[in-house]
Amino acid sequence: MTGRQIRFLTLVRREVNRFFKIKRQTLGAPLLETFLYISVFGAALGSRIRELEGFDYIVFIVPGLIMMAWATNAFANNSSSILQQKFQRSIDDQLSSPASPLELLVALSLGGFLRGMIVASLTFIAASLLVDLPVDQVLVLIPSLFLVGFFFASLGVLVGVRAEQFDDVSFAQTFVLQPLIFLGGVFYSATLLPEPFETLTLFNPVYYMISLVRYGFLGVSDANVGLSLGLLALATAVLFTLNLRLFMRGYKLRA
Amino acid sequence: MNGVSTPALEIRDLVKRYPTGTEALRGVGLRIEDGEFFGLLGPNGAGKSTLIHCTTGLAMPTSGSIEVFGHDAVDHYEEARLAVGLAPQELNLDWFLTLEESLDYHAGYFGMPKRERRERTAELLDAFSLSSKKDDRTRTLSGGMKRRLILARALMHRPRLLILDEPTAGVDVELRLELWQYVQRINAEGTTILLTTHYLEEAEQLCDRIAFIGDGQIVAEGTSTELAAAYGVTSLEDAYLELVGRKELSRAKIADVADVAS
């Protein structure tokens, strides 16, 4: 293994180790949260709604919950990890190492990506035990989930780098991310909404992400799958490029 | 020391201007030879830490050049940073990590293979009397132990240039003496050392040469005797007091006044 490979793996290992050290908070709590959603919305609400777009209500919402688990965990991990390291100045140990801005960025992004993947995978396994969850379009599902994970991991990096206090991170999570996810159609189909809310939903990027993941699982989608996938890939690439430019400039990391 | 060898650190006309407009470094020039024990003294805010941060990649220079063993610290930062170990002034340890992990990760960032990391970690934990605490999280350590760990971390990748930014600030006498002995030993073994400190006796006893930095510029440079002579005084302390404009605090002058009064 070359020195560069050792360096990169160490940077990733540090991020993974961080969330495993506080696994009750970083893995346990999100799993419990997803179970509560399934219980409350699936069992309680599902008994009244019955079916949506030809599927049991609980089956209809699980793809959105899996996507939400990956997205929120990827975001939360990276934003808080970076801010915490900036706050302790322990990030200086990495910044003064020979690691390039690209290596640092990819490693930090992967931390959240992997945490999101673990929580989403556990959610998928648990949901599969509870309900009969189909996987209809696996070739759409896997790239969609990976792109969603990487998009939110990159967004977490951006917010973490820009943040100067913990309030900045929680503001982004509570007042921007959660509303976009909840109003993106995790728990309902946008076609059921009255106007102007149905049209407004079309301006929410998370709506297309949920539609993609739902299409991957159930084979039904409100949105154009090809266009959504292309736009998601483009948005992820743009966000990653923006982060890379910030890392190369040392924005809010190096004085 | 060989005058024609590549210097450990060569800084030319270094300027650092922060976005606020503050000019922390105003054309700094400095050359530290391979194997030297070099002291950088100056009051708070003189630019010592900024100079160190520019050298180690924690700050981006506005203009000028920095070379570490001939490698440009900006354009060829990988080679330059491989050669530098930094023990910063702040106790910047990761609270989540154990002592062993702190050292292991640092060595990993510098590309050291696993077996070498393990051996070096054990060696340095032992050298700094931290072996019994290796599985403890860093946040549980006392200030002195954190200081030792930071020094051990800086040494993990066997840097050729070790930068110590006020390493003995707030540590007890025995630890200070321990640190002195250790850095003197590694300097004798060939490691170049750049030390910033507010303890003048520390600089006087340890350093081959000393530079005074004031208001973002190197204002004087030489051995402690040469610096005293340059300011027309008899000690490094008096020369320093001249630098900061507080010569009325000179112990020699206070003693003279006391003699006259008695």
Side-chain angles (χ1 to χ4, degrees), chain B residues 41-196:
Chain B
L41 305 183
N44 290 331
K48 301 186 295 294
S49 292
T50 302
L51 187 147
I52 288 170
H53 289 172
C54 286
T55 304
T56 53
L58 296 178
M60 314 279 257
T62 305
S63 63
S65 73
I66 305 168
E67 285 184 7
V68 181
F69 290 103
H71 303 292
D72 189 285
V74 176
D75 293 333
H76 300 284
Y77 61 84
E78 188 172 345
E79 293 88 346
R81 289 184 204 160
L82 277 170
V84 179
L86 169 65
Q89 196 177 325
E90 304 93 8
L91 299 168
N92 65 346
L93 295 164
D94 190 325
W95 304 336
F96 285 98
L97 303 183
T98 65
L99 279 69
E100 197 168 40
E101 287 168 340
S102 299
L103 300 185
D104 181 71
Y105 286 151
H106 176 89
Y109 302 152
F110 285 78
M112 279 172 75
K114 190 175 182 179
R115 189 171 166 185
E116 198 182 337
R117 291 202 304 267
R118 211 166 33 214
E119 288 168 4
R120 183 72 170 153
T121 299
E123 179 192 333
L124 286 171
L125 285 173
D126 183 53
F128 288 95
S129 311
L130 293 168
S131 299
S132 62
K133 301 268 181 190
K134 71 184 174 73
D135 295 321
D136 292 2
R137 291 204 184 182
T138 61
R139 67 166 180 267
T140 64
L141 297 179
S142 66
M145 283 188 172
K146 284 179 180 161
R147 189 58 73 188
R148 284 179 210 212
L149 181 61
I150 278 175
L151 187 52
R153 189 182 65 183
L155 290 164
M156 267 304 285
H157 61 285
R158 298 190 173 86
R160 293 170 69 195
L161 170 62
L162 177 64
I163 300 179
L164 304 171
D165 194 2
E166 299 189 26
T168 52
V171 305
D172 55 30
V173 177
E174 54 273 36
L175 175 56
R176 187 180 304 174
L177 293 174
E178 247 180 70
L179 292 180
W180 282 16
Q181 282 178 14
Y182 194 86
V183 294
Q184 277 179 308
R185 201 183 83 209
I186 60 169
N187 177 238
E189 288 167 0
T191 306
T192 308
I193 293 173
L194 168 58
L195 168 76
T196 79

Side-chain angles (χ1 to χ4, degrees), chain A residues 2-4 6-8 10-11 13-14 17-18 21-22 84-85 87-101 247-250 253-255, chain B residues 16 18 56-60 77-78 81-82 84 86 90-98 101-102 104-114 117 137 153:
Chain A
T2 66
R4 185 164 288 186
I6 292 171
R7 180 163 68 230
F8 181 71
T10 307
L11 289 165
R13 195 158 55 91
R14 189 220 158 272
N17 187 15
R18 189 196 82 91
K21 284 202 172 204
I22 44 172
Q84 199 164 47
Q85 289 186 74
F87 185 69
Q88 298 170 355
R89 291 302 327 166
S90 57
I91 200 166
D92 287 356
D93 198 32
Q94 295 166 57
L95 294 173
S96 60
S97 80
S100 69
F247 270 60
M248 288 172 82
R249 273 176 48 201
L253 293 171
R254 303 179 201 268
Chain B
K16 174 61 189 177
Y18 288 105
T56 53
L58 296 178
M60 314 279 257
Y77 61 84
E78 188 172 345
R81 289 184 204 160
L82 277 170
V84 179
L86 169 65
E90 304 93 8
L91 299 168
N92 65 346
L93 295 164
D94 190 325
W95 304 336
F96 285 98
L97 303 183
T98 65
E101 287 168 340
S102 299
D104 181 71
Y105 286 151
H106 176 89
Y109 302 152
F110 285 78
M112 279 172 75
K114 190 175 182 179
R117 291 202 304 267
R137 291 204 184 182
R153 189 182 65 183

